[in-house]
Amino acid sequence: MELPDAERQRAILAEKWIPYTRAQQALAKMEALLQHPTSHRMPNLLLVEDTNNGKTAILRRFCHAHQPQPLEDDGRLQWPVLYVQAPPEPDEKRFYNIVLDRVNAPHRINDHVGKKQLQVIHVLRQLGVKLLVIDEIQHILAGNQGKQRQFLNVIKYLSNELMVPLVCAGIRTAFSAVQSDEQLANRFEPVPLPKWVIGDDYLRLLLSFERLLPLREPSNLADESIALKLLSMSEGTIGEISKILKLAAVLAIDSKKERITAAVLNKVDYTTPSDRMKFHKLI
């Protein structure tokens, strides 16, 4: 609170973690998967969100808790949780290249796909990967049905061959992508991250945000009028709530108000997600 204004504003804009109930539940499920005994039919999770509703922050938090570490005996790297993004379209070779690049494994981009598959399996075994996270899984819908089935078979084969669970994550269309494969659908437990609504969880979220903002006066974000206004502006996603509060807190410092009020929120330079979509449709 005693820092100069510019330093407090930089602190406001920094990335923050808030352990709200849904996030903690998702992390607990992922932790249970990581500890699951090895079997030929490993359980999987599908983290499904509305756009900008916390998925990436949850995945980063989990991966940060399970970073690669050198083994004490010989110094070899142990990589328990491997995070990758699905390629922009369902391309098997491109996916293998992404995996190999992620672990800094030397490889030839144009090698035959079969050779790449063997290399990926060998490298992930050497690294002791116990859980594979594939983000933006909805990208597979960019291909035709044949390409989609092929890509789903690829990740299913990797899970079976390595005997590791999968955590796939994406926006709501990700659910349709995985459901198109009956075997995968039966193995994936959906973990939804729905939009926020007025209730105790939402009010606790606002109180958590307020505790992290270095303003010198209380904003009372859980007050009904402020809470409803934030919910309306953000359209119910945590990423938008965070963005609005950061902008408002910076403005509160600039204006010497030192707290977030309805008047401050009205002055924030912010466009709602719906208005952004309307603009994109016009250009």
Side-chain angles (χ1 to χ4, degrees):
M1 299 297 182
E2 302 307 317
L3 289 173
D5 291 356
E7 289 189 36
R8 286 193 293 144
Q9 288 174 327
R10 280 196 295 273
I12 287 167
L13 297 176
E15 189 171 307
K16 298 171 179 62
W17 167 253
I18 294 179
Y20 55 95
T21 302
R22 293 175 198 160
Q24 295 294 75
Q25 290 170 344
L27 288 170
K29 287 179 179 292
M30 293 164 71
E31 192 66 40
L33 273 191
L34 184 61
Q35 305 303 327
H36 194 282
T38 301
S39 72
H40 290 284
R41 188 179 175 86
M42 297 295 286
N44 306 308
L45 285 181
L46 178 61
L47 200 61
V48 184
E49 68 157 2
D50 289 292
T51 302
N52 203 14
N53 206 26
K55 161 186 67 69
T56 300
I58 292 170
L59 295 179
R60 286 179 179 172
R61 184 74 175 183
F62 183 73
C63 292
H64 182 74
H66 301 285
Q67 296 184 65
Q69 298 288 339
L71 292 173
E72 292 184 3
D73 54 353
D74 60 8
R76 286 187 300 112
L77 199 62
Q78 192 80 1
W79 205 311
V81 175
L82 179 62
Y83 169 93
V84 295
Q85 284 194 46
E89 58 183 9
D91 183 287
E92 182 178 3
K93 182 183 285 190
R94 196 167 179 180
F95 176 67
Y96 293 144
N97 285 336
I98 289 170
V99 171
L100 294 169
D101 284 339
R102 182 73 181 88
V103 298
N104 300 314
H107 64 101
R108 295 175 179 169
I109 292 177
N110 293 320
D111 272 348
H112 186 270
V113 67
K115 183 176 180 179
K116 283 193 175 295
Q117 183 187 73
L118 292 174
Q119 185 181 5
V120 164
I121 290 170
H122 173 74
V123 167
L124 297 194
R125 279 183 178 148
Q126 288 291 102
L127 291 171
V129 172
K130 296 180 180 178
L131 186 146
L132 178 60
V133 178
I134 305 175
D135 200 2
E136 310 297 354
I137 194 65
Q138 74 278 357
H139 286 174
I140 70 173
L141 294 174
N144 59 39
Q145 287 189 343
K147 286 279 191 179
Q148 291 177 35
R149 282 194 299 271
Q150 182 185 21
F151 191 83
L152 290 172
N153 284 335
V154 166
I155 63 174
K156 182 166 56 179
Y157 178 81
L158 279 181
S159 176
N160 290 340
E161 188 67 18
L162 295 168
M163 289 190 285
V164 299
L166 301 174
V167 172
C168 291
I171 60 175
R172 288 194 173 272
T173 51
F175 186 75
S176 301
V178 172
Q179 287 292 310
S180 66
D181 184 290
E182 185 176 345
Q183 287 184 331
L184 272 180
N186 289 332
R187 293 192 197 184
F188 274 91
E189 177 189 353
V191 180
L193 297 172
K195 289 186 176 182
W196 292 84
V197 296
I198 284 290
D200 289 343
D201 282 347
Y202 172 61
L203 297 179
R204 280 195 294 269
L205 178 73
L206 295 183
L207 289 173
S208 296
F209 268 115
E210 184 164 352
R211 284 193 290 268
L212 293 175
L213 297 174
L215 298 175
R216 292 171 181 155
E217 300 292 336
S219 297
N220 299 318
L221 296 180
D223 179 80
E224 184 179 5
S225 60
I226 296 291
L228 286 169
K229 186 171 185 61
L230 282 167
L231 195 63
S232 175
M233 291 174 70
S234 67
E235 299 179 358
T237 64
I238 192 171
E240 297 297 326
I241 294 169
S242 176
K243 181 178 180 180
I244 294 165
L245 289 176
K246 287 178 179 180
L247 292 171
V250 168
L251 184 57
I253 292 174
D254 278 340
S255 65
K256 308 303 180 184
K257 299 287 186 184
E258 290 293 340
R259 64 192 182 101
I260 297 171
T261 64
V264 170
L265 289 173
N266 286 334
K267 293 179 181 178
V268 166
D269 184 12
Y270 173 76
T271 305
T272 67
S274 293
D275 285 342
R276 280 177 240 154
M277 288 298 296
K278 290 176 184 175
F279 177 77
H280 289 312
K281 289 177 180 178
L282 290 173
I283 59 175

